[in-house]
Amino acid sequence: MADYDYDLITIGAGSGGVRASRLAGGYGARVAVVEKSRVGGTCVMRGCVPKKFLVYGAHFAEDFEDARAYGWTPGPAEFDWASLIANKNRELDRLEGVYERILRDNHVELIRGEARLADPHTVEIDGRALTADKILISTGSWPSMPNITGIEHVITSNEALDLPSLPKRVVIVGGGYIAVEFAGIFNALGVEVTVVIRGDTILRGFDQDVRETLATEMENKGIVIRRECLVRSIEKANGSYSVLCSDDCLIETDLVMYATGRLPNTRDIGLEGAGVKLDNIGAVVVDEWSQSSVENIYAVGDVTNRSMLTPVAIAEGRAFAETVFNASAIPVRHRNIPSAVFSQPPIGAVGLTEQQARENGPVDVYVSRFRPMKHTLTGREESIMMKLVVNQDSDRVLGCHMVGQDAPEIIQGLAVALTCGVTKAQFDATIGIHPTAAEEFVTMREKRPAAAA
Ligand code: NDP
């Protein structure tokens, strides 16, 4: 073997890159990870983690109101955005330290700087050339926005997590994960929220009942959803913005946020020059072993655009390290990946949507809608929707979907059952935990009539 500086150089210290590097280091490989920004990547520094703190923070608004129905008379509740942001940032600093320590403990060298491939075995970092037997690309993704007049005035989720103060009004463009999560956060904190979507409803790719239920819940909370509407231009005047839409409607607002998807970070890092094949959106094309078109170059996480979810990046990073540095080949199966949307109320889902399942044969559908027990006292207009999609021939449960409090926590457990190939009969044979919302998943007996499907 040629004499390289390292066995592995990882470009990008996010969830996937750190997991792969620290495992490889733990197996005795000589590893360096290069990072130009903060260790922890999108999830920890600009995504899941800070977002979840804002979701928790926002939910207290309803909690204080609801407490009255349970006999509490809370004092006048005051909210201080700056405190929430400062506390959140303190925790992110701590987490960055934890990630750095994990790398150190596994003998992984952290190199700060911007990396570029000079050839398949050479990485240049700010003028310094280092060589490695294997290269792992884990550079993540970045918000993408359409090129319209005034786009320079908008923010993305990156800035939304650190706003100096809360606006009075916000327009959010897009109807995906990020848009609905931030719509919920801003709305709960008293901001007037308008969501502008180009389709007929939010969250394309999710089950239709989930999409419609959440849209209704959001509207019940006062969020305006403007459907089949495209933003044409954005103009700034006197500290506010005028958003001109395709239906000629003009929305005046204090802040415009775009959440129109994310693109893989593959520009200007020398991938194509090194012979690495990219797809039409710039994602690294990989096989089930995360190996690219160049034999010694691998890629994991958002940069491959297989599924832009942190636990998937971590699973891919682990599988890579086990396969390449621990001689135990593990492919990642991208099936039955559970996911959650931390909207208000949240969503949890695993498996196929009803529409996807129907494409493969006849299905039985079970749907339950009810008011959560907590709100029978508070009177709050918030409901829970649960849905099971079952293959008629095999009785296998193909999909579980939920909108409502605790949905992500509940669906995680059901994801285990789906991974084991659970049947509806096994759901029915499971004893519920009473009184919970989750027990409804094991007590659904009435199939939805075919006409309603
Ligand atoms: P998504 O892909 O989820 O949604 C993008 C939204 O923007 C869609 O509603 C899409 O509409 C719309 N859109 C795209 N292009 C345009 C355009 N030119 N004009 C108007 N609307 C447009 O992207 P997000 O940015 O919300 O999130 C990126 C990824 O990050 C997600 O896919 C997810 O994998 C990950 N993520 C996961 C989270 C979680 O697990 N809880 C939280 C946040 C992010 P249409 O549907 O019509 O295409």
Side-chain angles (χ1 to χ4, degrees):
M1 192 172 77
D3 190 14
Y4 297 114
D5 299 322
Y6 298 94
D7 299 314
L8 171 68
I9 294 181
T10 300
I11 305 179
S15 300
V18 167
R19 180 58 58 98
S21 303
R22 66 125 151 150
L23 287 176
Y27 292 135
R30 297 168 304 148
V31 185
V33 56
V34 190
E35 175 56 57
K36 67 174 181 180
S37 175
R38 297 188 70 181
V39 176
T42 300
C43 172
V44 183
M45 293 300 151
R46 295 176 294 278
C48 330
V49 174
K51 177 272 312 284
K52 188 95 189 259
F53 286 126
L54 300 197
V55 170
Y56 281 133
H59 206 273
F60 279 101
E62 287 187 354
D63 295 340
F64 283 121
E65 284 174 19
D66 292 344
R68 291 182 184 280
Y70 286 86
W72 291 90
T73 309
E78 277 182 32
F79 173 70
D80 180 31
W81 172 256
S83 302
L84 173 58
I85 296 300
N87 292 344
K88 179 261 293 177
N89 287 342
R90 191 160 359 94
E91 176 59 9
L92 298 194
D93 291 344
R94 190 189 71 82
L95 287 173
E96 187 171 22
V98 170
Y99 272 70
E100 288 169 352
R101 200 195 63 230
I102 288 172
L103 291 175
R104 264 197 316 275
D105 289 351
N106 288 283
H107 319 289
V108 176
E109 189 181 337
L110 174 62
I111 301 174
R112 301 275 181 183
E114 199 150 350
R116 199 174 180 286
L117 281 181
D119 65 50
H121 289 281
T122 310
V123 177
E124 280 178 3
I125 304 142
D126 301 326
R128 184 174 158 211
L130 296 171
T131 59
D133 181 22
K134 303 279 190 292
I135 308 276
L136 179 65
I137 311 296
S138 49
T139 45
S141 61
W142 198 252
S144 95
M145 288 178 283
N147 188 14
I148 58 153
T149 305
I151 198 73
E152 68 277 11
H153 300 309
V154 315
I155 65 159
T156 68
S157 54
N158 292 341
E159 295 78 29
L161 291 162
D162 275 308
L163 287 175
S165 59
L166 275 179
K168 235 173 111 315
R169 303 163 296 180
V170 65
V171 168
I172 301 179
V173 183
Y177 283 79
I178 296 177
V180 301
E181 290 182 344
F182 275 91
I185 292 167
F186 285 131
N187 168 260
L189 294 176
V191 179
E192 284 171 38
V193 181
T194 305
V195 176
V196 178
I197 57 171
R198 62 184 180 181
D200 59 354
T201 193
I202 53 172
L203 290 175
R204 187 158 58 85
F206 279 81
D207 187 273
Q208 196 63 22
D209 281 298
V210 168
R211 302 173 73 189
E212 284 165 13
T213 304
L214 183 66
T216 304
E217 294 288 338
M218 288 169 65
E219 285 171 328
N220 285 347
K221 287 181 192 291
I223 295 170
V224 175
I225 303 177
R226 295 191 69 89
R227 294 167 164 83
E228 289 169 355
C229 183
L230 274 170
V231 173
R232 279 212 193 115
S233 64
I234 299 157
E235 215 173 276
K236 184 175 183 183
N238 305 324
S240 65
Y241 301 93
S242 305
V243 179
L244 179 64
C245 299
S246 51
D247 55 4
D248 288 334
C249 154
L250 195 65
I251 313 172
E252 297 292 330
T253 187
D254 305 305
L255 186 70
V256 185
M257 173 174 167
Y258 264 67
T260 45
R262 297 175 66 91
L263 285 176
N265 279 328
T266 49
R267 284 181 62 182
D268 302 328
I269 50 174
L271 288 170
E272 281 161 304
V276 175
K277 203 170 151 209
L278 305 180
D279 73 6
N280 61 338
I281 66 155
V284 179
V285 178
V286 289
D287 64 13
E288 64 180 325
W289 307 104
S290 296
Q291 192 168 28
S292 78
S293 54
V294 177
E295 186 252 330
N296 73 305
I297 300 179
Y298 293 75
V300 296
D302 287 9
V303 77
T304 66
N305 195 31
R306 284 175 284 186
S307 176
M308 288 194 183
L309 297 171
T310 300
V312 176
I314 291 173
E316 290 166 357
R318 170 173 174 257
F320 158 78
E322 294 293 340
T323 305
V324 177
F325 293 102
N326 195 32
S328 71
I330 302 185
V332 177
R333 305 211 186 283
H334 292 86
R335 281 187 58 224
N336 282 339
I337 296 172
S339 78
V341 184
F342 293 94
S343 44
Q344 316 235 1
I347 292 172
V350 60
L352 302 182
T353 65
E354 179 181 341
Q355 296 84 333
Q356 289 167 335
R358 283 193 188 286
E359 285 164 20
N360 300 322
V363 294
D364 289 329
V365 173
Y366 299 80
V367 178
S368 181
R369 291 175 196 276
F370 55 99
R371 177 181 261 187
M373 184 177 169
K374 180 178 175 187
H375 294 318
T376 55
L377 292 201
T378 67
R380 183 173 291 288
E381 284 287 324
E382 189 177 292
S383 62
I384 291 182
M385 192 284 296
M386 288 177 172
K387 178 168 178 178
L388 288 178
V389 182
V390 181
N391 182 296
Q392 236 174 45
D393 300 329
S394 66
D395 198 42
R396 281 269 178 95
V397 178
L398 303 177
C400 306
H401 307 272
M402 176 174 173
V403 182
Q405 219 181 0
D406 301 325
E409 306 290 344
I410 292 169
I411 290 292
Q412 179 67 85
L414 297 187
V416 178
L418 252 71
T419 303
C420 298
V422 68
T423 61
K424 178 66 168 65
Q426 288 168 325
F427 263 69
D428 295 346
T430 303
I431 293 178
I433 300 175
H434 188 70
T436 63
E439 67 180 317
E440 190 69 15
F441 267 123
V442 296
T443 54
M444 283 197 256
R445 300 285 186 269
E446 294 274 308
K447 289 177 199 171
R448 182 152 74 179

